[in-house]
Amino acid sequence: MLVLLPPSEGKASSGRGAPLKLESLALPGLTAAREAVLGELAELCASDEEKAREVLGLSEGLRGEVAKNAELHTAGARPAGEIYTGVLYDALDLASLDAPAKRRAGRSLLVFSGLWGAVRVTDRIPSYRCSMGVRLPGLGALGTHWRAPMAEALPEAAGDGLVLDLRSAAYGAAWKPRGEVAGRTATVRVLHAPTRKVVSHFNKATKGRIVRSLLAAGIAPKGPAELVEALRELGYVVEVREPARAGTPWTLDVLVDEVH
């Protein structure tokens, strides 16, 4: 099972670990594309703070994020699972999982990123600020920049099992499963049951809880139909829209009344 996650806008500090080693990150096929984004982003932030703030869409109060990006080559690196914070990652709570569940997380979770393309939660990265919606002056739109290298690297990472896609639209645009891989992909929406609307907090927290439930129980569904069965056994209310044609993902709606 491969689980595709969005990053968090907020991130923990880099800490004092050894600096980033790009060659150590998972999905080595993305290394050249990572080098290109990292190089331009760090140079922009080091040389022109105002331009960088404009490009990154940062308010005056987030000026410190520019300085953080300027030091990406030398800042300490920590496991990505510790860097990403926010509602989804709070609900997932990787740190409190037992050892077998943490190993499963390391094998199955892939976090998409405007800067790194995608990383495993065990990959060591520095804290940064760069969303997939950013358009760098040289490279252009990052969503477009990542499409070709992702199309090469992700099918291999997906293997022959379930792909559980929990990404937001901006990150989903960087790689869309095709053909046979798409047929075993399930995208998940979380809807407020009384209104049938997506509510941001419900959506993020429930997605984190779903992933945690699967990891903690040691459940690795082989395909979308098995995922639906597993989620229902775990107590989730799931509505299913099977693909209208072969080679397209399943859509699962998880209904919630409230999140505690």
Side-chain angles (χ1 to χ4, degrees):
M1 177 175 67
L2 183 68
V3 182
L4 311 180
L5 297 174
S8 59
E9 189 170 273
K11 298 173 184 69
S13 63
S14 293
R16 298 182 179 179
L20 169 74
K21 293 182 179 179
L22 273 180
E23 67 276 11
S24 72
L25 300 182
L27 306 181
L30 301 180
T31 299
R34 289 167 175 154
E35 287 177 336
V37 180
L38 177 63
E40 183 174 352
L41 179 64
E43 182 178 356
L44 172 66
C45 290
S47 62
D48 191 336
E49 184 178 283
E50 290 305 317
K51 178 65 175 178
R53 196 158 64 83
E54 177 187 340
V55 167
L56 295 172
L58 300 177
S59 66
E60 175 67 30
L62 293 174
R63 185 179 292 273
E65 299 292 277
V66 175
K68 181 196 297 185
N69 284 347
E71 298 175 353
L72 284 169
H73 287 99
T74 58
R78 296 167 59 186
E82 297 177 13
I83 290 291
Y84 294 113
T85 60
V87 175
L88 188 154
Y89 292 91
D90 286 348
L92 174 54
D93 196 9
L94 286 169
S96 69
L97 291 171
D98 62 24
K102 286 179 180 176
R103 288 193 291 271
R104 289 190 283 271
R107 293 192 300 266
S108 62
L109 305 189
L110 199 63
V111 184
F112 275 60
S113 162
L115 174 52
W116 316 114
V119 292
R120 301 283 186 185
V121 292
T122 51
D123 283 340
R124 299 183 66 86
I125 58 173
S127 186
Y128 68 96
R129 186 65 171 254
C130 184
S131 72
M132 191 65 78
V134 164
R135 179 183 293 272
L136 291 174
L139 289 176
L142 292 181
T144 302
H145 171 77
W146 285 113
R147 283 176 194 160
M150 288 284 198
E152 292 290 327
L154 265 294
E156 181 179 355
D160 58 3
L162 170 72
V163 178
L164 175 54
D165 191 352
L166 303 178
R167 297 171 297 166
S168 56
Y171 292 91
W175 179 64
K176 294 183 183 297
R178 306 288 183 188
E180 186 270 335
V181 177
R184 49 188 166 84
T185 297
T187 62
V188 173
R189 299 188 308 170
V190 179
L191 304 181
H192 183 218
T195 64
R196 285 300 199 278
K197 293 181 179 179
V198 175
V199 179
S200 180
H201 179 84
F202 285 22
N203 182 51
K204 294 175 182 177
T206 303
K207 285 179 177 179
R209 289 172 182 263
I210 285 171
V211 177
R212 182 180 177 85
S213 296
L214 294 170
L215 293 173
I219 299 172
K222 299 296 185 183
E226 289 186 26
L227 173 64
V228 172
E229 181 179 347
L231 291 178
R232 287 173 175 166
E233 289 180 355
L234 289 167
Y236 293 95
V237 178
V238 184
E239 294 181 350
V240 184
R241 280 180 286 163
E242 296 186 24
R245 63 183 186 278
T248 54
W250 291 46
T251 300
L252 276 55
D253 288 340
V254 177
L255 306 181
V256 296
D257 291 314
E258 58 184 337
V259 176
H260 299 287

